[in-house]
Amino acid sequence: MTAKTTSGDVTLEEAAKGAHSLESGYGNITVRKAEGSLRSSTSSGNISIRDFVGKAEATSNYGNVEIVGVLSGAQGRSSSGNVRAVANEGARPTRIGRSTPATEMW
Amino acid sequence: MRLFNAPSVSLASISLASISLASLVLLGSSACTHVQWTSSGTIVGFEEKATRVDEQPLDFKPGDSLELDATAGSINVQASASSKPRVRARITAFGHDVAEAQRNLEKCQLKIERVSSGVRVRVECESMESRSANVTVRMMPEVRIDATIPEGTPVSADTSSGNVSLHGPLGPCAVDTNYGEVDIADVDGNVRAATRSGSMSVSRVRAAKEIDLRSGYGSLRVSEAEAERARFETTSGDVSIRDVKSQRPAPALPTGASRSSGSRGP
């Protein structure tokens, strides 16, 4: 599925297996309990992904990125925000900007 | 009739002045005042109105779809297995006196036609104009259409300004409104909806090849839906998706592309 807003939040909950593309210009993106492959991006907002089965990719230019509990591949990227990743499997860190706290792992 | 002239210095100032004056008209009147606009930025309030309710049975054959055109007003459709198909149109026309409102009301008719795809329902109005102080105002009636139709019927609904509510079980649905909210529930098949300004809520869609929701300015809320392809797009508003099954993403739009109105037909 494709969801896109120029100015607003995007929330995806309980999505079955599929290719998901979520995009916001100036809003937050939240994903909970979904499956498949995920590409999410926002220019100026935070991204939070939790409990995702599959590959998840999150890119924010000016916001924080949080990826928790992603199975089989996670990638988080922020130009000017924190990137936090916990308990992900097969993660590939791509961090730009401020560092992630040491207690968190990829 | 109350008449105000707003200075025509710029589009923005006309708009702001108009909104302010419109509030005054509404607050300053003890009766309900209907506000109409002219292209020069003039606001006219009509204090008199006339209302008529037309109700007619609908003759559906197996496989028929329903096409609705409210012109300016709201559309409500409810599928029913037990009730006989019917349509009810509440039409309100305005004027500066009762006689003019009544004359304007008589210019509007509920039309039911058989078309190749099924049944078409629309409210057709002759031109309504009111002249005062060298200002001509083209008036629009207020229309509300309520239809009860057989379960599984495909529906296409079109209105320039009004909310659209379609509650099934229905067949494929297509909605196009310029300024209004859209609420669709219980559909077997495709759902396409477009509004320039308004929120959309879509729930319980089954066996769709495509769900396509577009709003210029409004939030989108989708829940309990199954579709091969799903696309939800708004320029300004939140997008909330819950319990949706979609196998693949719709093709990406070219950068900057947006559709201002939905394609017709379910």
Side-chain angles (χ1 to χ4, degrees), chain B residues 49-80:
Chain B
K49 63 182 179 181
T51 299
R52 187 182 74 236
V53 176
D54 292 343
E55 189 163 359
Q56 293 187 35
L58 295 173
D59 180 24
F60 275 94
K61 294 179 169 50
D64 276 355
S65 66
L66 174 65
E67 192 176 310
L68 285 157
D69 188 347
T71 307
S74 62
I75 292 173
N76 299 281
V77 173
Q78 175 68 61
S80 172

Short mmCIF file of all heavy atoms in Angstrom, two decimals, chain B residues 49-80:
data_model
loop_
_atom_site.label_atom_id
_atom_site.label_comp_id
_atom_site.label_asym_id
_atom_site.label_seq_id
_atom_site.Cartn_x
_atom_site.Cartn_y
_atom_site.Cartn_z
N LYS B 49 -36.86 30.74 3.02
CA LYS B 49 -36.56 29.50 2.34
C LYS B 49 -37.82 28.66 2.19
O LYS B 49 -38.80 28.86 2.93
CB LYS B 49 -35.49 28.71 3.09
CG LYS B 49 -35.90 28.26 4.46
CD LYS B 49 -34.77 27.53 5.14
CE LYS B 49 -35.16 27.08 6.53
NZ LYS B 49 -34.07 26.39 7.21
N ALA B 50 -37.79 27.78 1.25
CA ALA B 50 -38.91 26.86 1.03
C ALA B 50 -38.32 25.46 0.85
O ALA B 50 -37.31 25.29 0.17
CB ALA B 50 -39.69 27.27 -0.21
N THR B 51 -38.95 24.50 1.48
CA THR B 51 -38.42 23.13 1.46
C THR B 51 -39.49 22.15 0.98
O THR B 51 -40.66 22.29 1.32
CB THR B 51 -37.96 22.73 2.88
OG1 THR B 51 -36.93 23.62 3.29
CG2 THR B 51 -37.43 21.30 2.90
N ARG B 52 -39.05 21.19 0.19
CA ARG B 52 -39.95 20.16 -0.28
C ARG B 52 -39.24 18.81 -0.16
O ARG B 52 -38.02 18.74 -0.33
CB ARG B 52 -40.31 20.43 -1.74
CG ARG B 52 -41.39 19.49 -2.29
CD ARG B 52 -41.68 19.76 -3.75
NE ARG B 52 -40.63 19.28 -4.61
CZ ARG B 52 -39.96 20.04 -5.49
NH1 ARG B 52 -40.22 21.33 -5.58
NH2 ARG B 52 -39.04 19.51 -6.24
N VAL B 53 -39.98 17.79 0.15
CA VAL B 53 -39.41 16.45 0.21
C VAL B 53 -40.07 15.60 -0.87
O VAL B 53 -41.30 15.45 -0.89
CB VAL B 53 -39.63 15.80 1.59
CG1 VAL B 53 -39.12 14.36 1.59
CG2 VAL B 53 -38.92 16.61 2.67
N ASP B 54 -39.28 15.10 -1.78
CA ASP B 54 -39.76 14.19 -2.82
C ASP B 54 -39.30 12.78 -2.47
O ASP B 54 -38.13 12.58 -2.14
CB ASP B 54 -39.18 14.56 -4.19
CG ASP B 54 -39.73 15.88 -4.70
OD1 ASP B 54 -40.76 16.32 -4.17
OD2 ASP B 54 -39.11 16.46 -5.61
N GLU B 55 -40.21 11.83 -2.59
CA GLU B 55 -39.84 10.44 -2.30
C GLU B 55 -40.40 9.56 -3.40
O GLU B 55 -41.58 9.68 -3.75
CB GLU B 55 -40.39 10.03 -0.94
CG GLU B 55 -39.86 8.70 -0.47
CD GLU B 55 -40.06 8.48 1.02
OE1 GLU B 55 -40.58 9.39 1.68
OE2 GLU B 55 -39.69 7.41 1.51
N GLN B 56 -39.56 8.70 -3.92
CA GLN B 56 -40.00 7.82 -5.00
C GLN B 56 -39.39 6.44 -4.84
O GLN B 56 -38.26 6.30 -4.33
CB GLN B 56 -39.57 8.39 -6.36
CG GLN B 56 -40.27 9.69 -6.74
CD GLN B 56 -39.93 10.10 -8.16
OE1 GLN B 56 -39.77 9.26 -9.03
NE2 GLN B 56 -39.83 11.40 -8.37
N PRO B 57 -40.09 5.41 -5.31
CA PRO B 57 -39.48 4.07 -5.30
C PRO B 57 -38.43 3.96 -6.40
O PRO B 57 -38.47 4.69 -7.39
CB PRO B 57 -40.67 3.15 -5.60
CG PRO B 57 -41.64 4.01 -6.34
CD PRO B 57 -41.46 5.41 -5.83
N LEU B 58 -37.49 3.05 -6.19
CA LEU B 58 -36.46 2.80 -7.21
C LEU B 58 -36.65 1.39 -7.74
O LEU B 58 -36.87 0.45 -6.97
CB LEU B 58 -35.06 2.95 -6.60
CG LEU B 58 -34.68 4.34 -6.10
CD1 LEU B 58 -33.34 4.29 -5.37
CD2 LEU B 58 -34.62 5.33 -7.26
N ASP B 59 -36.54 1.26 -9.05
CA ASP B 59 -36.73 -0.04 -9.68
C ASP B 59 -35.37 -0.63 -10.03
O ASP B 59 -34.76 -0.25 -11.03
CB ASP B 59 -37.59 0.13 -10.94
CG ASP B 59 -37.82 -1.20 -11.65
OD1 ASP B 59 -37.73 -2.24 -10.98
OD2 ASP B 59 -38.05 -1.18 -12.86
N PHE B 60 -34.92 -1.54 -9.20
CA PHE B 60 -33.61 -2.18 -9.44
C PHE B 60 -33.79 -3.55 -10.05
O PHE B 60 -34.62 -4.34 -9.58
CB PHE B 60 -32.83 -2.30 -8.13
CG PHE B 60 -32.06 -1.07 -7.79
CD1 PHE B 60 -32.59 -0.12 -6.95
CD2 PHE B 60 -30.79 -0.87 -8.31
CE1 PHE B 60 -31.89 1.02 -6.64
CE2 PHE B 60 -30.07 0.27 -8.00
CZ PHE B 60 -30.63 1.22 -7.16
N LYS B 61 -32.98 -3.83 -11.07
CA LYS B 61 -32.92 -5.17 -11.64
C LYS B 61 -31.58 -5.78 -11.22
O LYS B 61 -30.64 -5.04 -10.88
CB LYS B 61 -33.02 -5.09 -13.16
CG LYS B 61 -34.38 -4.58 -13.64
CD LYS B 61 -34.43 -4.49 -15.14
CE LYS B 61 -35.85 -4.24 -15.63
NZ LYS B 61 -36.54 -3.14 -14.96
N PRO B 62 -31.49 -7.11 -11.25
CA PRO B 62 -30.21 -7.72 -10.84
C PRO B 62 -29.04 -7.17 -11.65
O PRO B 62 -29.11 -7.07 -12.87
CB PRO B 62 -30.44 -9.21 -11.14
CG PRO B 62 -31.92 -9.38 -11.07
CD PRO B 62 -32.53 -8.10 -11.58
N GLY B 63 -27.99 -6.81 -10.97
CA GLY B 63 -26.80 -6.28 -11.64
C GLY B 63 -26.80 -4.78 -11.84
O GLY B 63 -25.81 -4.20 -12.29
N ASP B 64 -27.91 -4.13 -11.51
CA ASP B 64 -27.97 -2.68 -11.67
C ASP B 64 -27.04 -1.96 -10.69
O ASP B 64 -26.88 -2.39 -9.55
CB ASP B 64 -29.40 -2.17 -11.41
CG ASP B 64 -30.27 -2.28 -12.64
OD1 ASP B 64 -29.74 -2.64 -13.71
OD2 ASP B 64 -31.47 -2.00 -12.53
N SER B 65 -26.50 -0.85 -11.16
CA SER B 65 -25.75 0.03 -10.26
C SER B 65 -26.58 1.28 -10.01
O SER B 65 -27.56 1.54 -10.70
CB SER B 65 -24.40 0.39 -10.85
OG SER B 65 -24.57 1.18 -12.00
N LEU B 66 -26.15 2.05 -9.03
CA LEU B 66 -26.83 3.31 -8.71
C LEU B 66 -25.87 4.46 -8.96
O LEU B 66 -24.74 4.46 -8.46
CB LEU B 66 -27.28 3.33 -7.24
CG LEU B 66 -27.87 4.66 -6.75
CD1 LEU B 66 -29.18 4.98 -7.47
CD2 LEU B 66 -28.08 4.62 -5.25
N GLU B 67 -26.35 5.44 -9.72
CA GLU B 67 -25.55 6.64 -9.96
C GLU B 67 -26.30 7.82 -9.35
O GLU B 67 -27.45 8.05 -9.66
CB GLU B 67 -25.40 6.84 -11.47
CG GLU B 67 -24.38 7.87 -11.86
CD GLU B 67 -24.23 7.94 -13.37
OE1 GLU B 67 -24.04 6.88 -14.00
OE2 GLU B 67 -24.29 9.05 -13.90
N LEU B 68 -25.64 8.55 -8.46
CA LEU B 68 -26.28 9.65 -7.74
C LEU B 68 -25.56 10.95 -8.02
O LEU B 68 -24.33 11.02 -8.00
CB LEU B 68 -26.20 9.39 -6.23
CG LEU B 68 -27.13 8.34 -5.65
CD1 LEU B 68 -26.56 7.84 -4.34
CD2 LEU B 68 -28.51 8.94 -5.41
N ASP B 69 -26.35 12.00 -8.28
CA ASP B 69 -25.77 13.32 -8.48
C ASP B 69 -26.61 14.32 -7.70
O ASP B 69 -27.75 14.60 -8.05
CB ASP B 69 -25.76 13.66 -9.97
CG ASP B 69 -25.00 14.95 -10.24
OD1 ASP B 69 -24.72 15.69 -9.28
OD2 ASP B 69 -24.69 15.21 -11.40
N ALA B 70 -26.03 14.85 -6.63
CA ALA B 70 -26.79 15.78 -5.79
C ALA B 70 -26.55 17.23 -6.17
O ALA B 70 -27.15 18.12 -5.60
CB ALA B 70 -26.43 15.59 -4.33
N THR B 71 -25.68 17.49 -7.11
CA THR B 71 -25.28 18.85 -7.51
C THR B 71 -24.65 19.58 -6.32
O THR B 71 -23.45 19.77 -6.28
CB THR B 71 -26.46 19.66 -8.06
OG1 THR B 71 -27.05 18.88 -9.11
CG2 THR B 71 -26.00 20.99 -8.63
N ALA B 72 -25.45 20.03 -5.39
CA ALA B 72 -24.90 20.66 -4.19
C ALA B 72 -25.68 20.16 -2.99
O ALA B 72 -26.80 20.59 -2.76
CB ALA B 72 -25.00 22.17 -4.29
N GLY B 73 -25.11 19.26 -2.25
CA GLY B 73 -25.81 18.73 -1.11
C GLY B 73 -25.24 17.40 -0.70
O GLY B 73 -24.30 16.89 -1.31
N SER B 74 -25.84 16.83 0.30
CA SER B 74 -25.30 15.60 0.85
C SER B 74 -26.00 14.37 0.28
O SER B 74 -27.14 14.45 -0.19
CB SER B 74 -25.41 15.61 2.38
OG SER B 74 -26.77 15.68 2.75
N ILE B 75 -25.30 13.26 0.33
CA ILE B 75 -25.81 11.99 -0.19
C ILE B 75 -25.65 10.94 0.89
O ILE B 75 -24.56 10.78 1.46
CB ILE B 75 -25.03 11.57 -1.45
CG1 ILE B 75 -25.32 12.54 -2.61
CG2 ILE B 75 -25.38 10.14 -1.86
CD1 ILE B 75 -24.47 12.30 -3.84
N ASN B 76 -26.73 10.22 1.16
CA ASN B 76 -26.68 9.12 2.13
C ASN B 76 -27.28 7.88 1.51
O ASN B 76 -28.44 7.92 1.09
CB ASN B 76 -27.46 9.48 3.40
CG ASN B 76 -26.88 10.70 4.08
OD1 ASN B 76 -25.88 10.61 4.77
ND2 ASN B 76 -27.49 11.85 3.85
N VAL B 77 -26.52 6.83 1.48
CA VAL B 77 -27.01 5.58 0.90
C VAL B 77 -26.90 4.48 1.94
O VAL B 77 -25.86 4.35 2.60
CB VAL B 77 -26.19 5.20 -0.36
CG1 VAL B 77 -26.59 3.82 -0.86
CG2 VAL B 77 -26.39 6.24 -1.46
N GLN B 78 -27.96 3.70 2.05
CA GLN B 78 -27.96 2.56 2.97
C GLN B 78 -28.46 1.33 2.22
O GLN B 78 -29.54 1.37 1.63
CB GLN B 78 -28.86 2.85 4.17
CG GLN B 78 -29.02 1.70 5.13
CD GLN B 78 -27.73 1.39 5.88
OE1 GLN B 78 -27.21 2.24 6.60
NE2 GLN B 78 -27.20 0.18 5.69
N ALA B 79 -27.69 0.28 2.24
CA ALA B 79 -28.15 -0.96 1.63
C ALA B 79 -29.04 -1.70 2.61
O ALA B 79 -28.80 -1.67 3.82
CB ALA B 79 -26.95 -1.83 1.25
N SER B 80 -30.04 -2.37 2.06
CA SER B 80 -30.95 -3.12 2.93
C SER B 80 -31.47 -4.34 2.20
O SER B 80 -31.84 -4.27 1.02
CB SER B 80 -32.12 -2.23 3.36
OG SER B 80 -33.09 -2.99 4.03
#
